[in-house]
Amino acid sequence: MEQYGFIRRDTGSSVYKAASRYLLEARKHDWKKLPANTSSFHLMFGERNKLPFGRLGHDPGRKNLVNYYRGSDILCRKTALVKVFKEYCSLVKYSYPKWLPQSFRILPKNIKQTSIRNSSTTLMKEKPDDRDELLATNVSLTQEEGSSDGIKISDDVHTLLEYVDQQEKAFVIQRYIRNPLLLQGKRKFDISHLTNHCLQKDMSENFGRFEDGNEMFFEEFN
């Protein structure tokens, strides 16, 4: 019987550490741990942005399995998702989708990059974003919104841009939804947002008041 080999490239993950320990202890007759740079393996645990997808599929007769789909970061990162949606609409000549709040992908200016080898610091080359589009749209948005009530992070685009420029990663500046789709009882909802679910379970007095476990199956929701 063939013994399967796995690699754990992300040593800082407690999840991958636990999975590795399970394979080595409970399934030790089936699995063995291989060096991180081994090219011949059955399973690789790793962080999605560092997985060497180019090395996969070159071992004849063996399927290399990894714990992420290639390109999954586009679905998980808001900045990447907004970029893809807007590029697609532009490509097929769609108008701005009604289901996507007016969104702008903004990258900080003057991002500093430090070299690990010699600790030197350089400025990264600026990449294109939606900054000009946001500034051009700002006047019409201000006139349309007026002095509305409710939640407002900021009504000053320049304040938001100043904040982003002090950071080291990209942000999405998005128009707040003034008329959201609500459940009965004027309740907001989300789909597969596990972080919100865990916070509500531990901190909300209304958890489970309307639905068991604050969860509604699709038939009832529909």
Side-chain angles (χ1 to χ4, degrees), residues 37-189:
N37 291 323
T38 302
S39 59
S40 181
F41 59 88
H42 294 89
L43 175 64
M44 176 188 291
F45 295 119
E47 205 278 326
R48 65 170 175 265
N49 295 325
K50 299 178 181 178
L51 283 171
F53 288 101
R55 290 172 50 186
L56 306 180
H58 296 291
D59 195 0
R62 176 170 298 180
K63 293 184 178 180
N64 301 134
L65 303 179
V66 296
N67 58 313
Y68 279 102
Y69 286 108
R70 190 172 191 175
S72 63
D73 56 317
I74 296 177
L75 299 176
C76 300
R77 292 168 46 220
K78 292 183 175 65
T79 51
L81 194 60
V82 166
K83 181 182 179 182
V84 168
F85 280 151
K86 297 181 76 170
E87 287 180 347
Y88 176 75
C89 291
S90 175
L91 179 66
V92 298
K93 296 181 173 57
Y94 276 179
S95 59
Y96 199 90
K98 295 180 179 180
W99 43 263
L100 178 65
Q102 201 156 13
S103 307
F104 306 90
R105 177 175 166 269
I106 307 298
L107 279 68
K109 287 187 175 181
N110 302 325
I111 298 180
K112 295 180 180 179
Q113 186 177 38
T114 302
S115 173
I116 299 178
R117 290 185 177 181
N118 55 21
S119 298
S120 62
T121 301
T122 57
L123 292 178
M124 294 180 62
K125 184 178 180 181
E126 291 187 8
K127 298 180 181 180
D129 62 4
D130 300 332
R131 187 178 296 252
D132 292 338
E133 180 187 352
L134 172 63
L135 292 172
T137 311
N138 180 44
V139 175
S140 60
L141 280 179
T142 302
Q143 293 175 347
E144 183 178 343
E145 293 291 335
S147 56
S148 59
D149 299 324
I151 299 173
K152 182 181 297 183
I153 297 176
S154 177
D155 57 1
D156 185 352
V157 167
H158 299 285
T159 299
L160 295 175
L161 291 176
E162 289 176 4
Y163 172 80
V164 174
D165 286 338
Q166 295 174 5
Q167 312 304 312
E168 296 183 354
K169 60 181 180 180
F171 280 76
V172 170
I173 295 180
Q174 192 172 66
R175 183 184 184 184
Y176 187 76
I177 302 176
R178 301 182 64 187
N179 186 27
L181 178 65
L182 302 175
L183 296 175
Q184 291 181 346
K186 295 184 178 181
R187 296 183 295 136
K188 291 184 179 180
F189 64 94

